[in-house]
């Protein structure tokens, strides 16, 4: 725990310098999408509204966890900085988790603003927004694990950036468009993308009646994916050090 | 009756046996390298750029997997196991970009905590280290905002925190001015004297090698071509001296003494450097200073052999060892 807190404190200090732009961009793009789609989504289309608000909120996490972490770990690998962590008695998974947690700290305001503003804009109930407190760390950890994998496995830092961007676009596309409007093949892709379960869990919280079983299933999937993704990131870390 | 105390057993702190590593593309980076460093020793790896020094230390600290060979640190085999190695050593890479955006104090404190110190102990150790390296005034400044020398000194501090029994330092004094360099040497000396710390120090600086190292392995093209104390290595070429000449203008090659020297010198523009026997050097210098060539000569120095001369005499091919 001491190691995690030390890494977290160090990373928070590092990210703090760029927190203004980070917060602004992460929030602005999601709020922008909410505003844009407000003019498209029909007033009574509750399922679509829930999906748009939940997808936009998870996008804040995806921006940081997939996009920025892919960039960060691509840069660490490209500059040989991984040796520093590899020669300290900490696991690669812990480095990924602490880095992700530090970035995620600065996305909390953006995710909350997006969730609340979205609910108000689309007339959704706010009573179960506490679900966001579970979705944020679980979605953050699973997407951060994948983002770190992209950064650590990409042969060049630029490719890591591109992969992170594409991943974020995937989260946006699959998260915001309701499942029943997607073609069959894309529905299958949606079913295996981890952000789907975070989005669905959050979307269900915008109902008046919360389906606890469904919520637990979605959060359970997020948890399992988070564990697998961080394990993969840990292995990718070891591989990248030796490359 | 005379009682002779038995010499204390020499504990082997670092044992490297037959390390071989080929980079992708088939380039042989280290070729069957073996050496041992005993506890409390400052052991050096000297060689020009490209000799395989950094690959060797990355194998030593476990971040690279060798094609063959093994590494044992303080009695425990740690080949290709950086986690196991990290419990006994601290490693300073040639550059530490991971810490660049952190304030100096936090970089040292965080590294100390990751080496197992509590938050309070890490803070105390950080204050003490920064004072020892005269970095106290820079505690709150990010490493990336420091000069190159200050940054390197702060990186040295991150390596020292946590008091590991083995320090592996890859060119720790590169970019440091003379006083900062001496401060690092002094800090290492103190660790060795007070705590018995073993140091493996990579350098391509001959002066550093001669002043700081107890023993040195000389590397060339991935092989150890010599390994002994600096004094014993220099004794290998003790009959030789180095004659350095600087010409004011074009050297008078029509002078037979100058022409003969040209054939035996390393020539870099108007700077010539020849390794000669003491008798030959005396004769050459006598002829130069008494003949017409003196007018074209700007400066000359006669020096006893250095580790660079040892390196060249043993067949070393690099030409970028530093002398100061």
């Amino acid at each position: 725990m001491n190691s995690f807190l030390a890494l977290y404190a160090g990373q928070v200090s590092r990210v703090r310098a760029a927190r203004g732009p980070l917060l602004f961009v992460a929030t602005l793009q999601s709020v922008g999408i909410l505003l844009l789609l407000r003019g498209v989504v029909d007033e009574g289309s509750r399922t679509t509204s829930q999906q748009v608000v939940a997808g936009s909120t998870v996008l804040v996490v995806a921006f940081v966890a997939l996009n920025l972490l892919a960039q960060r770990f691509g840069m660490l690998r490209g500059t040989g900085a991984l040796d520093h962590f590899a020669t300290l008695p900490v696991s690669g998974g812990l480095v990924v988790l602490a880095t992700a947690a530090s970035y995620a700290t600065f996305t909390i305001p953006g995710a909350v603003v997006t969730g609340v503003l979205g609910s108000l804009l689309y007339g959704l109930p706010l009573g179960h927004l506490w679900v966001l407190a579970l979705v944020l760390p679980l979605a953050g950890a699973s997407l951060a694990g994948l983002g770190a994998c992209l950064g650590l496995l990409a042969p060049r830092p630029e490719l890591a950036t591109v992969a992170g961007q594409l991943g974020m676009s995937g989260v946006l596309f699959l998260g915001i468009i309701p499942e029943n409007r997607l073609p069959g093949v894309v529905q299958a892709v949606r079913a295996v993308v981890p952000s789907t379960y975070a989005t669905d869990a959050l979307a269900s919280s915008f109902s008046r009646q919360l389906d606890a079983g469904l919520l637990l299933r979605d959060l359970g999937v997020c948890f399992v994916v988070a564990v697998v993704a961080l394990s993969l990131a840990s292995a990718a870390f070891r591989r990248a050090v030796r490359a | 009756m005379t009682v002779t105390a038995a010499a204390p057993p020499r504990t082997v702190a670092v044992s490297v046996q037959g390390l071989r590593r080929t980079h992708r593309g088939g380039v042989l980076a280290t070729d069957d390298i073996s050496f041992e460093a005993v506890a409390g020793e400052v052991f050096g790896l000297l060689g020009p750029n490209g000799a395989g020094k950094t690959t060797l230390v990355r194998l030593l600290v476990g971040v690279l997997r060798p094609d063959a060979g093994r590494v044992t640190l303080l009695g425990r085999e740690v080949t290709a196991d950086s986690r196991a190695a990290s419990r006994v050593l601290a490693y300073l890479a040639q550059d530490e970009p991971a810490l660049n955006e952190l304030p100096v104090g936090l970089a040292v404190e965080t590294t100390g905590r990751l080496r197992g110190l509590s938050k309070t102990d890490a803070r105390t150790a950080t204050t003490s280290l920064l004072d020892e390296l005269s970095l106290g005034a820079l505690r709150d400044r990010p490493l990336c905002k420091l000069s190159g020398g200050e940054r390197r000194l702060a990186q040295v501090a991150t390596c020292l925190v946590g008091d590991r029994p083995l320090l592996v330092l890859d060119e720790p004094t590169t970019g440091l001015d003379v006083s900062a360099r001496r401060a690092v040497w002094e800090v290492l000396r103190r660790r060795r004297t007070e705590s018995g710390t073993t140091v493996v120090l990579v350098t391509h600086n001959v002066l550093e090698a001669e002043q700081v190292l107890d023993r040195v392995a000389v590397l060339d093209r991935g092989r150890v071509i010599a390994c002994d104390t600096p004094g014993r290595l220099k004794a290998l070429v003790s009959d030789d001296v180095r004659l350095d000449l600087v010409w004011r203008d074009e050297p008078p090659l029509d002078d037979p003494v100058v022409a003969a020297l040209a054939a035996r010198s390393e020539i870099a523009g108007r700077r010539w450097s020849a390794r000669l026997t003491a008798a030959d050097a005396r004769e050459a210098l006598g002829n130069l200073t008494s003949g017409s060539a003196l007018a074209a000569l700007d400066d000359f120095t006669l020096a006893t052999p250095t580790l660079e001369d040892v390196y060249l005499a043993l067949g070393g091919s690099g030409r970028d060892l530093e002398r100061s």
Side-chain angles (χ1 to χ4, degrees):
Chain A
M1 195 57 185
N2 184 42
S3 294
F4 175 80
L5 291 175
L7 278 168
Y8 175 77
Q11 293 300 316
V12 164
S13 164
R14 200 188 66 74
V15 181
R16 192 179 289 138
R19 69 183 182 279
L22 193 158
L23 272 169
F24 182 74
V25 174
T27 313
L28 187 74
Q29 69 181 353
S30 286
V31 169
I33 289 166
L34 284 176
L35 293 172
L36 185 75
L37 293 181
R38 186 65 198 92
V40 179
V41 175
D42 295 333
E43 281 284 344
S45 181
R46 180 166 286 273
T47 310
T48 307
S49 299
Q50 289 171 348
Q51 198 72 40
V52 168
V53 177
S56 301
T57 308
V58 171
L59 182 66
V60 179
V61 184
F63 171 72
V64 172
L66 262 177
N67 192 14
L68 296 188
L69 273 198
Q71 280 183 40
R72 170 72 182 154
F73 279 97
M75 191 277 287
L76 284 175
R77 185 190 171 190
T79 57
L82 295 176
D83 277 10
H84 173 75
F85 298 109
T87 52
L88 289 168
V90 288
S91 71
L94 197 70
V95 175
V96 172
L97 192 61
T99 309
S102 66
Y103 276 84
T105 302
F106 296 104
T107 66
I108 293 170
V112 172
V113 165
T114 307
V116 172
L117 189 68
S119 300
L120 297 175
L121 263 176
Y122 288 77
L124 300 172
L126 279 163
H128 304 300
L129 199 60
W130 55 267
V131 172
L132 187 59
L134 298 173
V135 168
L136 268 182
L138 290 174
S142 53
L143 292 173
L146 296 178
C149 283
L150 293 177
L152 291 165
L153 296 176
R156 293 205 309 272
E158 313 87 74
L159 292 177
T161 303
V162 171
Q165 292 272 11
L166 287 174
M168 191 184 72
S169 302
V171 171
L172 171 66
F173 181 73
L174 297 170
I176 286 180
I177 300 174
E179 187 182 2
N180 57 11
R181 298 204 191 161
L182 292 170
V185 180
V186 185
Q187 278 188 27
V189 174
R190 186 184 188 276
V192 296
V193 170
S195 59
T196 298
Y197 299 91
T199 311
D200 287 353
L202 192 57
S204 69
S205 77
F206 295 124
S207 310
R208 290 193 200 289
Q209 198 71 38
L210 196 62
D211 185 336
L214 213 56
L215 178 66
L216 276 177
R217 186 207 68 179
D218 288 337
L219 292 178
V221 173
C222 285
F223 177 78
V224 171
V225 172
V227 171
V228 172
L230 288 171
S231 305
L232 286 175
S234 196
F237 188 95
R238 284 194 297 275
R239 184 182 179 277
V241 167
R242 298 221 165 98
Chain B
M1 189 175 74
T2 307
V3 177
T4 309
R10 285 154 55 91
T11 309
V12 175
V14 178
S15 171
V16 167
Q17 300 299 326
L19 276 191
R20 174 192 288 266
R21 164 83 186 190
T22 307
H23 287 320
R24 279 182 196 153
V27 180
L28 191 61
T30 61
D31 184 6
D32 194 24
I33 287 185
S34 300
F35 64 82
E36 285 185 346
V38 297
E41 186 173 41
V42 181
F43 186 89
L45 299 169
L46 173 73
N49 292 323
K53 305 185 299 293
T54 294
T55 301
L56 177 56
V57 287
R58 294 189 76 224
L59 289 166
L60 184 64
V61 301
V63 294
L64 280 184
R65 183 185 295 279
D67 302 328
R70 62 183 194 161
V71 176
T72 309
L73 302 179
L74 297 168
R76 183 174 177 187
E77 186 177 347
V78 297
T79 314
D81 187 350
S82 60
R83 286 289 296 282
S86 70
R87 293 189 190 101
V88 293
L89 66 76
Y91 171 54
L92 176 70
Q94 268 188 39
D95 194 11
E96 291 281 7
L99 301 171
N100 269 355
E101 288 145 309
L102 296 189
V104 173
L106 188 60
V108 179
E109 188 183 316
T110 302
T111 310
R113 289 176 71 187
L114 294 178
R115 290 204 180 109
L117 298 182
S118 69
K119 192 172 180 180
T120 314
D121 289 347
R123 193 157 288 174
T124 308
T126 299
T127 304
S128 159
L129 264 172
L130 296 187
D131 287 346
E132 193 177 2
L133 289 166
S134 307
L135 288 169
L138 304 176
R139 185 174 190 130
D140 296 324
R141 290 186 58 193
L143 271 82
C144 58
K145 303 272 188 206
L146 304 180
S147 71
E150 290 169 338
R151 184 161 58 244
R152 193 58 178 156
L153 217 46
Q155 291 167 349
V156 169
T158 64
C159 182
L160 295 174
V161 70
D163 293 328
R164 286 291 193 253
L166 171 63
L167 304 175
V168 180
L169 312 165
D170 194 349
E171 307 205 350
T173 58
T174 299
L176 297 187
D177 60 29
V178 176
S179 66
R181 191 182 297 177
R182 289 192 186 284
V184 172
W185 293 346
E186 183 51 36
V187 165
L188 295 180
R189 203 168 282 137
R190 206 172 296 139
R191 295 290 179 288
R192 193 256 297 265
T193 310
E194 293 173 4
S195 317
T197 306
T198 309
V199 180
V200 175
L201 190 151
V202 174
T203 184
H204 68 282
N205 184 302
V206 171
L207 181 71
E208 180 165 74
E210 292 182 358
Q211 295 212 357
V212 181
L213 305 180
D214 296 322
R215 285 193 308 133
V216 56
V218 183
L219 265 73
D220 184 56
R221 286 176 290 191
R223 291 175 302 116
V224 173
I225 57 173
C227 183
D228 212 328
T229 65
R232 284 205 203 105
L233 286 177
K234 285 197 287 185
L236 294 173
V237 290
S238 59
D239 290 341
D240 291 350
V241 291
R242 200 180 62 243
L243 176 62
D244 291 323
L245 304 174
V246 183
W247 300 100
R248 239 176 231 135
D249 209 339
E250 285 303 311
L253 290 170
D254 51 344
D255 182 319
V257 177
V258 175
L261 270 175
R264 303 181 62 179
S265 296
E266 289 291 325
I267 297 176
R270 288 185 291 119
R271 293 180 179 275
W272 291 15
S273 184
R275 200 159 50 79
L276 307 166
T277 63
D280 283 356
R282 220 173 11 248
E283 186 186 345
L285 204 52
N287 289 336
L288 278 175
T289 50
S290 59
S292 58
L294 181 63
L297 204 54
D298 190 53
D299 194 12
F300 66 86
T301 50
L302 201 56
T304 51
T306 66
L307 285 177
E308 183 185 22
D309 298 301
V310 175
Y311 170 76
L312 294 172
L314 292 171
S317 56
R319 291 289 179 268
D320 58 355
L321 285 173
E322 277 183 12
R323 291 180 192 171
S324 58

